[in-house]
């Protein structure tokens, strides 16, 4: 068993748990290598480039991006391009831990890389992942795999413990889907936030309803995270996946049952992003 009884209890009460050594040092090296290749490729582009299944760009850069100081901040569905990313998506210790939390049958939902390279100033405002990807039930989790050491200085994940047990907050404001909760809610919860730090190869398992965000990288060290979202096999998507891929719905633990399970909730339909990532949606809120 990957998770101890204390860690299982922590996830139930706080909505997140850290798994050390979720992937091996060799896997960290392989994932870093492929990401660095994409960073080098981005030097030759001024605008988002590449293409995912729905025609949107795969690679997204921060406004500060330049050839001299690249600021590649998002790679959508990297497992479609890279065998090491595909292998980690299908098998990692955090996924084993998730099977202790959500049961033996789990499927892949979507994946992306979020990176905060030094000087990129990328911030993520408080939000709940479920607001972007409602399913028939909320047994969804985000596994954030650290490809770099994550410290208090390079923009760690900030989570609000226990918020997964609270309400689903609105992410629409003044007729615009901003991908963030209201400023008043952010100001209220920020003082209670906990920080997810750890060595490269560690992973944070986070409940889909947990409020979370992150600040800018104020260090000279990169902070790159491979973010893989999984769902219980009986959680049926209610909208089109906002990060589609060839692997969507693949059963990665257990078996396909053909069952669907529902939990009552009330949530505004999210907006399908026109751009490559939700960073532009949050920029409107800013």
């Amino acid at each position: 068993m990957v998770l101890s009884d204390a860690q299982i209890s922590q996830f139930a009460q706080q909505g997140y748990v850290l798994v050390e050594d979720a992937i091996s040092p060799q896997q960290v090296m392989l994932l870093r290598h492929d990401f660095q290749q994409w960073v080098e490729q981005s030097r030759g582009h001024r605008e988002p480039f590449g293409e995912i299944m729905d025609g949107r760009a795969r690679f997204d850069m921060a406004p500060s991006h330049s050839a001299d100081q690249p600021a590649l901040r998002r790679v959508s569905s990297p497992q479609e391009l890279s065998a090491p990313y595909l292998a980690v998506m299908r098998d990692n210790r955090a996924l084993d831990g998730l099977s202790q939390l959500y049961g033996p049958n789990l499927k892949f939902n979507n994946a992306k890389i979020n990176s905060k390279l030094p000087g990129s100033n990328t911030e993520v405002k408080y939000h709940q992942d479920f607001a972007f990807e409602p399913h028939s039930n909320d047994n969804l989790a985000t596994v954030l795999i650290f490809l770099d050491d994550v410290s208090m200085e390079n923009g760690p994940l900030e989570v609000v413990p226990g918020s997964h047990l609270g309400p689903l907050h609105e992410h629409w404001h003044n007729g615009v889907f901003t991908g963030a909760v209201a400023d008043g809610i952010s100001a209220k919860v920020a003082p209670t936030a906990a920080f997810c730090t750890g060595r490269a190869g560690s992973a944070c398992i986070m409940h889909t309803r947990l409020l979370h965000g992150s600040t800018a990288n104020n260090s000279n060290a990169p902070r790159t995270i491979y973010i893989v979202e999984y769902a219980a096999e009986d959680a049926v998507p209610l909208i089109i996946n906002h990060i589609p891929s060839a692997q969507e719905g693949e059963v990665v633990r257990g078996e396909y049952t053909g069952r669907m399970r529902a939990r009552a909730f009330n949530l505004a339909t999210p907006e399908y992003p026109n751009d490559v990532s939700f960073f532009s949606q949050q920029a409107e809120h800013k």
Side-chain angles (χ1 to χ4, degrees):
M1 296 291 101
V2 172
L3 300 181
S4 66
D5 289 344
Q7 288 176 304
I8 293 173
S9 178
Q10 177 190 334
F11 185 84
Q13 296 173 16
Q14 299 186 9
Y16 75 102
V17 66
L18 183 71
V19 177
E20 295 185 342
D21 301 317
I23 61 174
S24 70
Q26 175 70 9
Q27 289 175 308
V28 171
M29 182 181 71
L30 292 172
L31 299 189
R32 281 178 175 172
H33 174 270
D34 284 1
F35 179 70
Q36 190 57 42
Q37 295 298 307
W38 294 325
V39 171
E40 292 304 311
Q41 186 180 358
S42 75
R43 292 180 187 271
H45 296 267
R46 302 282 297 183
E47 302 290 337
F49 64 100
E51 189 171 296
I52 59 174
M53 287 181 63
D54 62 3
R56 290 179 296 150
R58 186 183 300 273
F59 302 95
D60 181 39
M61 293 87 77
S64 62
H65 173 81
S66 68
D68 294 334
Q69 191 169 12
L72 181 64
R73 63 183 179 182
R74 164 67 63 85
V75 182
S76 295
S77 299
Q79 81 285 349
E80 291 187 313
L81 304 180
S82 163
Y85 278 91
L86 178 61
V88 167
M89 180 275 281
R90 287 174 169 166
D91 189 26
N92 60 78
R93 290 187 70 245
L95 180 55
D96 293 330
L98 185 59
S99 68
Q100 293 177 252
L101 301 172
Y102 284 171
N105 304 319
L106 300 170
K107 62 186 177 183
F108 169 70
N109 189 32
N110 57 55
K112 54 188 176 282
I113 301 170
N114 277 3
S115 182
K116 297 181 182 181
L117 298 177
S120 63
N121 295 320
T122 299
E123 297 182 1
V124 178
K125 294 188 174 295
Y126 281 102
H127 64 282
Q128 294 167 301
D129 288 345
F130 196 68
F132 294 83
E133 49 197 14
H135 280 58
S136 61
N137 65 70
D138 60 5
N139 277 166
L140 282 75
T142 305
V143 173
L144 302 100
I145 302 171
F146 302 170
L147 303 190
D148 301 303
D149 292 343
V150 178
S151 69
M152 292 295 294
E153 289 71 40
N154 64 359
L157 174 71
E158 301 177 15
V159 299
V160 182
S163 57
H164 67 302
L165 301 174
L168 287 168
H169 297 283
E170 290 294 336
H171 289 59
W172 286 86
H173 305 286
N174 299 319
V176 176
F177 184 74
T178 65
V181 300
D183 291 338
I185 294 173
S186 296
K188 181 179 179 181
V189 302
T192 68
F195 299 89
C196 295
T197 60
R199 294 178 290 108
S202 301
C204 179
I205 304 176
M206 182 177 67
H207 194 284
T208 188
R209 293 171 65 120
L210 195 72
L211 277 167
H212 64 284
S214 64
T215 56
N217 182 352
N218 295 315
S219 75
N220 293 321
R223 195 233 65 175
T224 303
I225 295 180
Y226 182 28
I227 303 175
V228 190
E229 298 187 353
Y230 300 103
E233 185 271 336
D234 60 3
V236 178
L238 301 180
I239 61 167
I240 297 173
N241 199 319
H242 66 289
I243 310 177
S245 74
Q247 294 77 31
E248 180 184 342
E250 179 180 319
V251 176
V252 289
R253 286 292 183 274
E255 61 184 8
Y256 174 75
T257 67
R259 307 291 298 178
M260 59 178 69
R261 178 169 49 90
R263 175 182 177 181
F265 64 88
N266 191 307
L267 178 69
T269 304
E271 179 183 63
Y272 196 82
N274 292 321
D275 295 324
V276 66
S277 71
F278 80 151
F279 291 113
S280 59
Q281 292 173 314
Q282 290 207 341
E284 292 184 52
H285 186 43
K286 183 178 180 180

